[in-house]
Amino acid sequence: SVLSVTLVLTLGPHGMSQFERVYKIDRLLRSRIAPNKQKLLTVLEVSEPTLKRDLEYMRSRLGAPIAWNRQTGGYSYAADQPEFTVPGLWFSSDEIHALLLIIHIVDQIQPSFLADQMKPFRDRLRAIANAPTGQFEPISRRVRMVAGATRISNPACLDSVTRATLARKRLSIVYQSRSRSAETEREVSPGRLIYYRTDWYLDAWCHSAGAIRRFAVDAIRAVRILETPAQELPPESERTGYGIFAGAPVNQAVLRFNATAAPWVVSSVWHPNQELESLADGGALLRVPYSHEKELLMDILRHGSDVEVLAPESLRRSIAETLAAAARLYQVSRRTAARATATRQSAATG
């Protein structure tokens, strides 16, 4: 299919282009209250002759059945005429800014993802934005998005997964399980793609397991789009797990943050069903339900010594063991460095 985009950039008084005025006139004529002449002049911020030219342009050039309604005292589309649609796709200046910003963000999320498909549209918008009106400048000059580390090493694989998901086709994939370090070939019906914390995941019906599975896209080693129609996923149940992990919570983490970390914790949401309590010493007590401790463990560790796990004991023990293992690693490194220094000093004095 071909999307025809018609964009007119004839500037009028006050810097508003003609396509923006036509766009606004169309919206006003479709509102419940028919706009009178004064309403149109006020909204468009133009003179009466300019308004007349715009209305005549819409009637003669675009075929708009604009009529004056004596009963309402305003303008409207004639009810006895065929339904009128403004030809092409029209954008206001704010909408152009918004679209360019969205494209810029998508480029930062995955630079090569959908690049070929979006390039013509992006180039057209940039050409409009850089028109000799002096109103626009490159979005990248004013907005910078620093993306975190991504694990997508094969963008073509992500592209195939996306195409199959949108086209509702099944996929044949070779998937590497991190837990078993083994590759398996599966036929799956892709249901939804999830972009979470700089990584892509695929919720799909696995025909081998006969159940819904979540696949990390970066762990898909090979992919092939099949002609078989995809099976739809059952309705998504309420997500109550922590982070990317689904399932009913089986535990509640009780975390005590000191006064240093509390302002950041208070302004963030760890879980929709969290409970947050401010403490007298400036700290904060956070209660978070979870079904799997893996992601919660990583989020707690990044706060270092500014947080203490009070409950449950199993989570507290996991944090303690992880920190102890890290401490041992640095102790070994320090002893090794000390021996190396002593060896060098001995060689120098010998």
Side-chain angles (χ1 to χ4, degrees):
S1 59
V2 178
L3 176 62
S4 176
V5 181
T6 303
L7 293 156
V8 184
L9 202 62
T10 305
L11 292 180
H14 307 287
M16 185 182 295
S17 65
Q18 186 181 43
F19 88 85
E20 289 181 280
R21 297 199 303 273
V22 170
Y23 188 72
K24 287 189 176 182
I25 291 173
D26 180 68
R27 284 186 173 180
L28 289 169
L29 295 180
R30 295 181 187 280
S31 60
R32 290 189 303 169
I33 302 176
N36 57 25
K37 181 173 66 176
Q38 189 55 48
K39 173 71 172 180
L40 291 171
L41 292 174
T42 302
V43 172
L44 300 175
E45 298 180 329
V46 296
S47 63
E48 187 171 342
T50 299
L51 174 60
K52 289 182 178 179
R53 285 195 297 269
D54 287 343
L55 293 176
E56 180 56 32
Y57 173 82
M58 292 181 68
R59 290 190 184 103
S60 61
R61 299 287 297 277
L62 304 182
I66 300 175
W68 170 258
N69 191 318
R70 291 184 178 274
Q71 294 181 343
T72 61
Y75 291 94
S76 63
Y77 288 128
D80 59 345
Q81 297 294 320
E83 180 69 21
F84 170 75
T85 302
V86 176
L89 188 60
W90 296 71
F91 298 111
S92 67
S93 58
D94 288 342
E95 289 168 337
I96 293 173
H97 266 137
L99 287 170
L100 286 172
L101 180 58
I102 291 171
I103 293 173
H104 178 65
I105 291 174
V106 170
D107 285 343
Q108 300 303 307
I109 290 176
Q110 185 62 37
S112 58
F113 179 47
L114 292 180
D116 293 339
Q117 294 85 346
M118 296 184 70
K119 187 178 185 304
F121 187 52
R122 177 174 55 237
D123 291 345
R124 186 68 179 270
L125 287 174
R126 283 177 176 171
I128 298 168
N130 293 326
T133 63
Q135 297 179 0
F136 297 93
E137 61 180 317
I139 293 290
S140 58
R141 184 180 302 171
R142 298 300 179 187
V143 179
R144 183 182 181 187
M145 180 178 175
V146 181
T150 178
R151 295 196 302 253
I152 294 296
S153 58
N154 186 4
C157 177
L158 176 58
D159 185 60
S160 295
V161 171
T162 304
R163 291 176 186 276
T165 303
L166 299 178
R168 312 305 308 126
K169 299 292 186 181
R170 293 190 188 186
L171 288 167
S172 174
I173 65 173
V174 176
Y175 191 74
Q176 183 178 38
S177 172
R178 292 193 180 93
S179 59
R180 298 190 301 270
S181 298
E183 291 186 353
T184 57
E185 187 172 352
R186 307 164 182 245
E187 182 174 318
V188 301
S189 288
R192 66 184 69 90
L193 271 167
I194 302 171
Y195 183 74
Y196 181 73
R197 295 191 178 186
T198 74
D199 294 311
W200 289 94
Y201 299 87
L202 174 68
D203 282 353
W205 181 266
C206 179
H207 295 275
S208 302
I212 297 177
R213 292 290 184 265
R214 175 162 293 164
F215 301 96
V217 175
D218 69 288
I220 298 177
R221 296 293 171 251
V223 60
R224 181 167 53 91
I225 301 177
L226 306 177
E227 289 301 320
T228 312
Q231 176 178 320
E232 290 298 332
L233 299 185
E236 187 176 18
S237 59
E238 182 180 358
R239 297 186 56 80
T240 52
Y242 184 84
I244 197 67
F245 295 101
V250 295
N251 279 306
Q252 183 183 64
V254 182
L255 314 175
R256 181 189 177 98
F257 293 87
N258 61 21
T260 301
W264 302 98
V265 175
V266 170
S267 61
S268 61
V269 177
W270 287 48
H271 191 278
N273 299 327
Q274 69 181 31
E275 298 176 14
L276 189 63
E277 176 185 347
S278 296
L279 303 178
D281 61 357
L285 197 66
L286 178 66
R287 295 180 173 86
V288 179
Y290 69 97
S291 56
H292 194 292
E293 71 174 27
K294 181 178 180 180
E295 189 172 351
L296 180 59
L297 191 73
M298 293 187 291
D299 285 344
I300 294 172
L301 288 170
R302 66 189 176 92
H303 285 277
S305 60
D306 291 330
V307 60
E308 178 186 2
V309 177
L310 303 182
E313 183 59 33
S314 58
L315 181 61
R316 182 181 175 89
R317 186 166 53 251
S318 295
I319 293 288
E321 291 173 353
T322 302
L323 292 174
R328 286 195 298 272
L329 176 64
Y330 284 96
Q331 288 171 359
V332 170
S333 299
R334 188 163 53 246
R335 287 196 298 268
T336 302
R339 285 197 297 268
T341 300
T343 301
R344 287 197 299 271
Q345 291 175 346
S346 176
T349 57

